[in-house]
Structures are given as C-alpha cells and as structure tokens.
Amino acid sequence: MRWLVALTLALLLGTIAVTSVAGLVTDQAEPAGRALTPVITAAPVGSADSPALTAPALATPAAADPATTPTSTTTQPATSFAELTAHDSIDDCWLAIGGNAYDVTGYIQAHPGGSRTIIPWCDLEATVAFLTEDGRGEHSEEAEALLREYLIGPLSS
Amino acid sequence: MQITPGAVEAVTDDDHRSTERRPRGWTAPTGGPLWASVAVLLGVLLWLWASARPLGSRFVNRPATLGAISSLAALAGTVLLAMTIVLTARLRLVERGAGGLDRVYRFHHRLGAAAFALLALHPSLLAWRYAHVSWDRSAALWRPDPADLALAAGQVALYGMAVAIAATMWCSVRHQVLLWLQRALGVLFLPAAWHALHAGGDSAERGPLRWYLGAVVALGLAALVAHTFAGRLVSPHHRYEVRSVRALSPTITELWLRPLGRSMHFVPGQFAFVRFKDQPIGGEPHPYSIASAPGGELRFTVKHLGDYTAHIGEVTVGAEAVVEGPYGRFSNRFVAGRRQAWVAGGIGIAPFLSMAHALEDTGGYRVTLFYGHAGDGPASVLEELRALAAHRPDLEVVFVDEHADGLIDADLLGRHLGDLADVEFLLCGPPPMLHSLQRQLTNAGVAHHRIHFEEFGF
C-alpha cells in the first residue's frame, strides 16, 4: 500500500503548498484597512450609534444556481424584527446585518466556515459576527458580495 | 471441510483410517469476515449520511460538492481508523475471523493506508472548497487556531499520522523506534476522534449519524485502552524463565523457556509473542514460532533479521519472560487431509519442528517435509530432522540445499509426491517463496483450499 500512502502525501502536501502560497499572495495584495461596503455598517440595529437605515443595495440576480439563488432580488417592504425572529432554523434562516434582513437558508450548506457558524445567528442581529467572522477575522470582499445576493430588504425600526 | 467456530467435531481423514477431534474455534483461513465487516460499517455510514439531509442539497454546486465529499471522506476515514485500532488489539475473535494473526496484520496495513488516505482527503477537499471564496480562509485551515480546539485536534492527528506513517514506510529506523511510532499512531486516534465529534459538519447535529459515529469511536477507544492497559485480559499471558540460550549457527539462536506458573497450551505450528524482562535488548514483545511439541517447555529458533533479533543471544539464562498467546491458524491439525507435504524455507522450519515432534501424538498422517536452506541450515536442526524421520514411519524428510539443488519448486515436489492433487500443502518461509509456490501449485492443479501458509515476518 506504499503507492496509496505516497499518493496521499503528495496530494496533501501539494494542497497545503498551493493554498498557503495563494493565501499569502492574496493577503499581501489586499490593501490595509479595506473600506466596508455602504450597505454594511458596524453598528447594530437599534443601537444609539446606528445610522439611518439606507435603501437596500440590490444585487444583480445571480446566475441560475440553486444553492446561491437568493429568495428575493426585488425591492421589498421593510421587514420587522418580529418577522425576522420567525425564521430561526437551518431550514429557514433569516438574520440581520447592517440594518438589513438576509435570507441565508440556501447558503448555509455552502458556507465555507460550515453551517454551525451561521445557524446560531438565525433570527438574530449578526452584524458584528459577520464583520469579525465571529471573532476570528474578517470576511473577504467576495464574501460581502455574496451576502448581497441574499438580501431581503431593510429592517424596520 | 469447514468447521464452524466453537464446534468440536469428530472427523475422518481421507482414507478413513482414524478419527480425531479438531481444536475448537477453527475456521477456514479467509479474510472474508473482515471485508464483510468493513462493508457493513461503511454501508451503514453511507446510508445514515445520505439520510441526514436531501442528497440534492449536498451537490448543488462545486463548493457544496467538495464539502459533501470531504465530509464523507472524514466520516469513512474515522470509521476505518477505529477498525484498525480494533485489529491491533489481538482479539481472538478477530483472529479466528481472519484465519490467522498474520492475515489480521496484513489487513490492518491495508485498512490503515485507506483510513489515512480518506482522512487526508478530507481537509484537502475542504481547502479547495474554501478557496472558492477566499484563499486566505483556505490557507487558514492548515494553521493552528487557539480559538478552535477541534481544528487543532484534527491538525495534530493528521500531521502526526503523516509523519509517523512516512517514517515507518520509508525510513530505516531501529525496531524500538518502529514500535514507538506504531504506538503513536494508536494514540493519535484520540485527537482524531475528538475532531470527528466536535468539528461540526454532518456529525455535529444530533441524530443517528452522530450516535453511530460516537459508537464506532467508542469501540476504537475501548480497543485502544484494552490493548494498552489490560492486555492480559484481552489475550492470555504466561510467565516463563529462560532455561538455555544456544547459537545454532552464526545467524540463528535457540532459546528454551520453562514455565514459572501455568504453561501455555498450544497447537503445533502456532506462535507466541515473547518479551524478556530486565534485559539489555529491551522489553518489547516479538512474535516467534514455537519449535517444540506441546507440553511444558517452549522452544524458539530465532533468526537474526534485524537490530533486535541480532542481539537475542544476549538474553541471559534465568531471565524472566512473558509469553502472550498462542496465536496462528497454521498447523497440520487444522487441515482436513492427512497426506501432507510440508515445505519450509530457511527459518520457516520452526513451526514444522513442533509439528514433527508432535506427530506421534495424533496418528494417521503421512508427511513429506521439504526443507530448503541456503547451505546454512543449522547442523543440529538437520540432525534432529534426520533422527525424527528415522524413528517415524509417517515422516519423510527431503533436504534441499538451494545453492546446490536450486529452489524448491512444483517439479521437485511432483517428483517426490507423485499426484499433487490429493496432497495438503503447508508452506512456511519468506513471502517470495510462498507466493511463487502457491502460483506453481495452483498451475499444477492443486486446489486452492489445499494450499495453507502463514507469512513469516509479518
């Protein structure tokens, strides 16, 4: 079984090398202090520091892909927080980020960080958790762009 | 003829000359039950995994597909890893199912390689999945994160296994180091199991899949604890004392051990693990074929094959030894037919010495022993065999000096035995000899179930 072990080690070391180098290069290419997109703010909804709610930034409809197809790509009336709290499971998960409501049900399984990092935030205010990757870092620009595809609409105050 | 486990039946030989009760618990030598066990374990896992959520949702796009295969690889790898731990516990039930401990260890090697391949595939696919969103997130998979103990545990297990397996396969290390590396692989099951149950994903959600994985992990842990801390409960241990140590040749040492308490009962042809206490060569157990007939003292003829056995002659008379066993399903008594050809290559003569000395206790056999040696067969062993043959009408010995006469092959066997089809062949020697003779005998028309062998030096 030496050939199997050799092949395994080659695959493993190759993957580590490629992803590590790519991660290093990507990290060096990104400017420091990257500005957040306007739709996402740091202050949670309802806090004294929260800015006025902005109009939703609508994403261009994504290409037909069941996993990333957002539930809504049109302007929606403001969603109340009470309504948000009714969607609190892995099969029906809404959350609030930067004053907007997002339906991330179709994305939970595809989330690179795993479903368990999103599920606890279903039906909750998740701005800080999203911005800080729940205390582990910060999401990439690609992740922020992806989030916009799941926008429902603004949250009402 | 096949005997079901646990049964003791009276059987007649092919010539209906005599009957004898066969040892309990013998099964036909086959790895079928082990493969069946693997198939069942993985089959149940696959079914539970597929039932956990709609399959369609797992393969909706490339990242999700990578994640799904990664998850399945992790779960399957963990199940196989637990099974390898069970195989190393030297359980009698497992040995019977496999048809011999040598087969158990060979199966363990294959299963271990497969488990490692799956466990390494898991993070590799996950890294490529993460790369669809962020290379940095992908690279972070390989770095320790103090906030994520489950990830750290998985990294420790994976990196540790990679180093240990690579070292055992490609590095020339002392036997003692090899044993420590093998122990380390067993210990690495602990962080691997922790990661499997706490890293999230499919096994994080409460349900049949999590319970199943937990049960398999618990089985592996139980086997690890039992083998490490309660070996005496898992397999019998006997206390012996070294009575004599004698060099039969520059490369072979003979040891005689006398029992200090209850002696070990064994069937001629079986082997045991022996470790010596308080000796300079160390206290690790090593397997040796028993070269004496059952009853009282044990005799081992050890060839100097490595850094440990090369110093076996330094064991002192009077040293205490712990003998674990017996193991093995290689014996003339486990074979149905009484017309038998025993073929020994080099130090493979050891189990046949035991069988030859015990022949008169059973009766009804007609045996031709072919002993192939490269001109370095110990003179005392040659004389011993000649004496046995001289006094036993049921035993004929054919000496084959490989330098002068060439290797033992099917032609030579045919010239001495005549019709090969009705003969039971017992082979013991280096793997190349075994495989070559097995091929030749099969080509000569000998049925597969009449060729019996045990790989020496597993």
Short mmCIF file of all heavy atoms in Angstrom, two decimals, chain B residues 186-225:
data_model
loop_
_atom_site.label_atom_id
_atom_site.label_comp_id
_atom_site.label_asym_id
_atom_site.label_seq_id
_atom_site.Cartn_x
_atom_site.Cartn_y
_atom_site.Cartn_z
N GLY B 186 -1.53 4.80 17.29
CA GLY B 186 -2.69 4.44 18.09
C GLY B 186 -3.15 5.60 18.96
O GLY B 186 -4.34 5.89 19.05
N VAL B 187 -2.20 6.30 19.57
CA VAL B 187 -2.55 7.43 20.43
C VAL B 187 -3.18 8.56 19.63
O VAL B 187 -4.08 9.26 20.12
CB VAL B 187 -1.29 7.93 21.18
CG1 VAL B 187 -1.57 9.25 21.90
CG2 VAL B 187 -0.82 6.89 22.16
N LEU B 188 -2.74 8.74 18.38
CA LEU B 188 -3.29 9.81 17.54
C LEU B 188 -4.76 9.59 17.23
O LEU B 188 -5.43 10.50 16.72
CB LEU B 188 -2.48 9.92 16.24
CG LEU B 188 -1.10 10.54 16.40
CD1 LEU B 188 -0.28 10.39 15.13
CD2 LEU B 188 -1.20 12.01 16.78
N PHE B 189 -5.27 8.41 17.52
CA PHE B 189 -6.70 8.18 17.34
C PHE B 189 -7.50 9.09 18.27
O PHE B 189 -8.64 9.46 17.95
CB PHE B 189 -7.02 6.71 17.63
CG PHE B 189 -8.48 6.39 17.50
CD1 PHE B 189 -9.12 6.45 16.27
CD2 PHE B 189 -9.23 6.03 18.60
CE1 PHE B 189 -10.47 6.17 16.14
CE2 PHE B 189 -10.58 5.74 18.49
CZ PHE B 189 -11.20 5.81 17.26
N LEU B 190 -6.92 9.45 19.42
CA LEU B 190 -7.64 10.29 20.39
C LEU B 190 -7.96 11.67 19.82
O LEU B 190 -9.13 12.08 19.79
CB LEU B 190 -6.84 10.41 21.68
CG LEU B 190 -6.62 9.08 22.43
CD1 LEU B 190 -5.67 9.26 23.60
CD2 LEU B 190 -7.95 8.52 22.90
N PRO B 191 -6.97 12.45 19.35
CA PRO B 191 -7.33 13.74 18.76
C PRO B 191 -8.16 13.60 17.50
O PRO B 191 -9.02 14.45 17.22
CB PRO B 191 -5.97 14.40 18.45
CG PRO B 191 -4.99 13.29 18.42
CD PRO B 191 -5.50 12.26 19.36
N ALA B 192 -7.96 12.53 16.75
CA ALA B 192 -8.76 12.32 15.55
C ALA B 192 -10.23 12.13 15.93
O ALA B 192 -11.13 12.70 15.29
CB ALA B 192 -8.25 11.10 14.77
N ALA B 193 -10.46 11.35 16.97
CA ALA B 193 -11.83 11.10 17.41
C ALA B 193 -12.46 12.39 17.96
O ALA B 193 -13.63 12.70 17.69
CB ALA B 193 -11.84 10.02 18.50
N TRP B 194 -11.68 13.17 18.71
CA TRP B 194 -12.18 14.45 19.24
C TRP B 194 -12.59 15.36 18.11
O TRP B 194 -13.65 16.00 18.13
CB TRP B 194 -11.10 15.11 20.09
CG TRP B 194 -11.53 16.44 20.65
CD1 TRP B 194 -11.33 17.67 20.11
CD2 TRP B 194 -12.26 16.65 21.86
NE1 TRP B 194 -11.90 18.65 20.90
CE2 TRP B 194 -12.47 18.06 21.99
CE3 TRP B 194 -12.76 15.81 22.85
CZ2 TRP B 194 -13.15 18.61 23.06
CZ3 TRP B 194 -13.43 16.38 23.93
CH2 TRP B 194 -13.62 17.76 24.01
N HIS B 195 -11.73 15.45 17.10
CA HIS B 195 -12.04 16.31 15.96
C HIS B 195 -13.31 15.84 15.26
O HIS B 195 -14.18 16.64 14.90
CB HIS B 195 -10.86 16.28 14.97
CG HIS B 195 -11.12 17.02 13.70
ND1 HIS B 195 -10.98 18.39 13.58
CD2 HIS B 195 -11.53 16.58 12.48
CE1 HIS B 195 -11.29 18.75 12.34
NE2 HIS B 195 -11.62 17.69 11.65
N ALA B 196 -13.44 14.53 15.08
CA ALA B 196 -14.60 13.99 14.36
C ALA B 196 -15.91 14.35 15.06
O ALA B 196 -16.92 14.60 14.40
CB ALA B 196 -14.47 12.48 14.24
N LEU B 197 -15.89 14.38 16.38
CA LEU B 197 -17.12 14.60 17.12
C LEU B 197 -17.38 16.08 17.45
O LEU B 197 -18.49 16.42 17.85
CB LEU B 197 -17.10 13.79 18.42
CG LEU B 197 -17.14 12.27 18.22
CD1 LEU B 197 -16.91 11.56 19.54
CD2 LEU B 197 -18.45 11.84 17.59
N HIS B 198 -16.36 16.94 17.30
CA HIS B 198 -16.54 18.33 17.72
C HIS B 198 -16.27 19.36 16.64
O HIS B 198 -16.38 20.55 16.89
CB HIS B 198 -15.63 18.63 18.93
CG HIS B 198 -16.01 17.87 20.15
ND1 HIS B 198 -15.51 16.60 20.42
CD2 HIS B 198 -16.85 18.16 21.16
CE1 HIS B 198 -16.03 16.17 21.56
NE2 HIS B 198 -16.85 17.09 22.04
N ALA B 199 -15.90 18.92 15.45
CA ALA B 199 -15.53 19.89 14.41
C ALA B 199 -16.72 20.43 13.65
O ALA B 199 -16.57 21.34 12.85
CB ALA B 199 -14.54 19.24 13.43
N GLY B 200 -17.88 19.89 13.90
CA GLY B 200 -19.04 20.39 13.19
C GLY B 200 -19.32 19.57 11.95
O GLY B 200 -18.86 18.46 11.81
N GLY B 201 -20.11 20.12 11.08
CA GLY B 201 -20.46 19.40 9.87
C GLY B 201 -21.55 18.38 10.14
O GLY B 201 -22.37 18.53 11.03
N ASP B 202 -21.50 17.30 9.39
CA ASP B 202 -22.56 16.31 9.48
C ASP B 202 -22.66 15.68 10.86
O ASP B 202 -23.74 15.31 11.32
CB ASP B 202 -22.33 15.21 8.44
CG ASP B 202 -22.71 15.70 7.05
OD1 ASP B 202 -23.81 16.24 6.90
OD2 ASP B 202 -21.89 15.55 6.13
N SER B 203 -21.54 15.50 11.52
CA SER B 203 -21.57 14.80 12.80
C SER B 203 -21.95 15.71 13.96
O SER B 203 -22.08 15.24 15.09
CB SER B 203 -20.21 14.15 13.08
OG SER B 203 -19.22 15.15 13.19
N ALA B 204 -22.11 17.00 13.69
CA ALA B 204 -22.40 17.92 14.79
C ALA B 204 -23.86 17.88 15.18
O ALA B 204 -24.21 18.15 16.33
CB ALA B 204 -22.01 19.34 14.39
N GLU B 205 -24.71 17.58 14.21
CA GLU B 205 -26.14 17.61 14.50
C GLU B 205 -26.56 16.31 15.17
O GLU B 205 -26.20 15.23 14.73
CB GLU B 205 -26.91 17.81 13.20
CG GLU B 205 -26.55 19.14 12.52
CD GLU B 205 -27.02 19.19 11.09
OE1 GLU B 205 -27.97 18.46 10.75
OE2 GLU B 205 -26.42 19.93 10.30
N ARG B 206 -27.33 16.45 16.24
CA ARG B 206 -27.78 15.26 16.96
C ARG B 206 -28.68 14.41 16.07
O ARG B 206 -29.58 14.91 15.44
CB ARG B 206 -28.55 15.67 18.22
CG ARG B 206 -27.67 16.30 19.27
CD ARG B 206 -28.42 16.50 20.58
NE ARG B 206 -27.58 17.18 21.54
CZ ARG B 206 -26.66 16.56 22.28
NH1 ARG B 206 -26.49 15.29 22.17
NH2 ARG B 206 -25.93 17.25 23.14
N GLY B 207 -28.41 13.16 16.02
CA GLY B 207 -29.20 12.27 15.20
C GLY B 207 -28.47 10.96 15.03
O GLY B 207 -27.43 10.72 15.64
N PRO B 208 -29.05 10.07 14.23
CA PRO B 208 -28.46 8.72 14.07
C PRO B 208 -27.00 8.74 13.63
O PRO B 208 -26.20 7.92 14.09
CB PRO B 208 -29.35 8.09 12.99
CG PRO B 208 -30.64 8.83 13.06
CD PRO B 208 -30.29 10.22 13.44
N LEU B 209 -26.64 9.68 12.76
CA LEU B 209 -25.27 9.71 12.26
C LEU B 209 -24.28 10.01 13.39
O LEU B 209 -23.23 9.36 13.50
CB LEU B 209 -25.13 10.75 11.15
CG LEU B 209 -23.77 10.84 10.45
CD1 LEU B 209 -23.40 9.51 9.82
CD2 LEU B 209 -23.77 11.93 9.39
N ARG B 210 -24.63 10.96 14.23
CA ARG B 210 -23.74 11.32 15.34
C ARG B 210 -23.64 10.15 16.33
O ARG B 210 -22.56 9.85 16.83
CB ARG B 210 -24.23 12.57 16.04
CG ARG B 210 -23.30 13.03 17.16
CD ARG B 210 -23.72 14.38 17.70
NE ARG B 210 -22.96 14.76 18.89
CZ ARG B 210 -21.74 15.30 18.87
NH1 ARG B 210 -21.14 15.52 17.71
NH2 ARG B 210 -21.12 15.60 19.99
N TRP B 211 -24.75 9.51 16.58
CA TRP B 211 -24.73 8.39 17.51
C TRP B 211 -23.89 7.24 16.95
O TRP B 211 -23.15 6.58 17.68
CB TRP B 211 -26.17 7.90 17.78
CG TRP B 211 -26.93 8.82 18.69
CD1 TRP B 211 -28.00 9.59 18.35
CD2 TRP B 211 -26.67 9.08 20.07
NE1 TRP B 211 -28.43 10.31 19.45
CE2 TRP B 211 -27.64 10.03 20.51
CE3 TRP B 211 -25.74 8.62 20.98
CZ2 TRP B 211 -27.69 10.50 21.82
CZ3 TRP B 211 -25.78 9.09 22.29
CH2 TRP B 211 -26.74 10.01 22.69
N TYR B 212 -24.04 7.00 15.67
CA TYR B 212 -23.29 5.92 15.03
C TYR B 212 -21.80 6.20 15.09
O TYR B 212 -20.99 5.34 15.46
CB TYR B 212 -23.75 5.77 13.57
CG TYR B 212 -23.02 4.69 12.81
CD1 TYR B 212 -23.23 3.34 13.10
CD2 TYR B 212 -22.11 5.02 11.81
CE1 TYR B 212 -22.58 2.36 12.40
CE2 TYR B 212 -21.44 4.04 11.10
CZ TYR B 212 -21.69 2.71 11.40
OH TYR B 212 -21.03 1.72 10.71
N LEU B 213 -21.42 7.42 14.74
CA LEU B 213 -20.01 7.78 14.77
C LEU B 213 -19.48 7.67 16.20
O LEU B 213 -18.38 7.17 16.43
CB LEU B 213 -19.81 9.19 14.23
CG LEU B 213 -18.36 9.61 14.03
CD1 LEU B 213 -17.75 8.82 12.88
CD2 LEU B 213 -18.25 11.10 13.73
N GLY B 214 -20.26 8.13 17.15
CA GLY B 214 -19.87 8.03 18.55
C GLY B 214 -19.67 6.59 18.98
O GLY B 214 -18.72 6.27 19.70
N ALA B 215 -20.53 5.71 18.53
CA ALA B 215 -20.41 4.30 18.90
C ALA B 215 -19.15 3.68 18.30
O ALA B 215 -18.43 2.93 18.96
CB ALA B 215 -21.64 3.53 18.42
N VAL B 216 -18.86 4.00 17.05
CA VAL B 216 -17.67 3.46 16.40
C VAL B 216 -16.41 3.98 17.09
O VAL B 216 -15.46 3.24 17.34
CB VAL B 216 -17.67 3.81 14.90
CG1 VAL B 216 -16.34 3.47 14.27
CG2 VAL B 216 -18.80 3.09 14.18
N VAL B 217 -16.42 5.27 17.39
CA VAL B 217 -15.27 5.87 18.08
C VAL B 217 -15.09 5.23 19.45
O VAL B 217 -13.97 4.92 19.87
CB VAL B 217 -15.46 7.39 18.20
CG1 VAL B 217 -14.51 7.97 19.22
CG2 VAL B 217 -15.25 8.07 16.86
N ALA B 218 -16.21 5.00 20.15
CA ALA B 218 -16.12 4.38 21.47
C ALA B 218 -15.53 2.98 21.37
O ALA B 218 -14.74 2.56 22.23
CB ALA B 218 -17.52 4.31 22.10
N LEU B 219 -15.89 2.26 20.32
CA LEU B 219 -15.34 0.91 20.11
C LEU B 219 -13.84 0.97 19.91
O LEU B 219 -13.07 0.18 20.48
CB LEU B 219 -16.01 0.29 18.89
CG LEU B 219 -15.77 -1.20 18.65
CD1 LEU B 219 -16.41 -2.01 19.74
CD2 LEU B 219 -16.34 -1.61 17.29
N GLY B 220 -13.40 1.92 19.10
CA GLY B 220 -11.96 2.08 18.87
C GLY B 220 -11.24 2.45 20.15
O GLY B 220 -10.16 1.91 20.46
N LEU B 221 -11.82 3.36 20.91
CA LEU B 221 -11.19 3.77 22.17
C LEU B 221 -11.12 2.61 23.15
O LEU B 221 -10.13 2.43 23.86
CB LEU B 221 -11.98 4.93 22.79
CG LEU B 221 -11.84 6.28 22.09
CD1 LEU B 221 -12.77 7.31 22.71
CD2 LEU B 221 -10.40 6.77 22.15
N ALA B 222 -12.19 1.82 23.19
CA ALA B 222 -12.21 0.67 24.09
C ALA B 222 -11.10 -0.32 23.72
O ALA B 222 -10.40 -0.85 24.60
CB ALA B 222 -13.57 -0.03 24.03
N ALA B 223 -10.92 -0.55 22.43
CA ALA B 223 -9.87 -1.46 21.98
C ALA B 223 -8.49 -0.90 22.33
O ALA B 223 -7.59 -1.63 22.75
CB ALA B 223 -9.98 -1.70 20.47
N LEU B 224 -8.33 0.41 22.16
CA LEU B 224 -7.04 1.05 22.45
C LEU B 224 -6.71 0.93 23.93
O LEU B 224 -5.60 0.55 24.31
CB LEU B 224 -7.11 2.53 22.04
CG LEU B 224 -5.83 3.34 22.20
CD1 LEU B 224 -4.76 2.83 21.25
CD2 LEU B 224 -6.09 4.82 21.93
N VAL B 225 -7.71 1.21 24.77
CA VAL B 225 -7.49 1.13 26.22
C VAL B 225 -7.23 -0.32 26.64
O VAL B 225 -6.33 -0.60 27.43
CB VAL B 225 -8.71 1.71 26.97
CG1 VAL B 225 -8.64 1.39 28.45
CG2 VAL B 225 -8.79 3.22 26.77
#
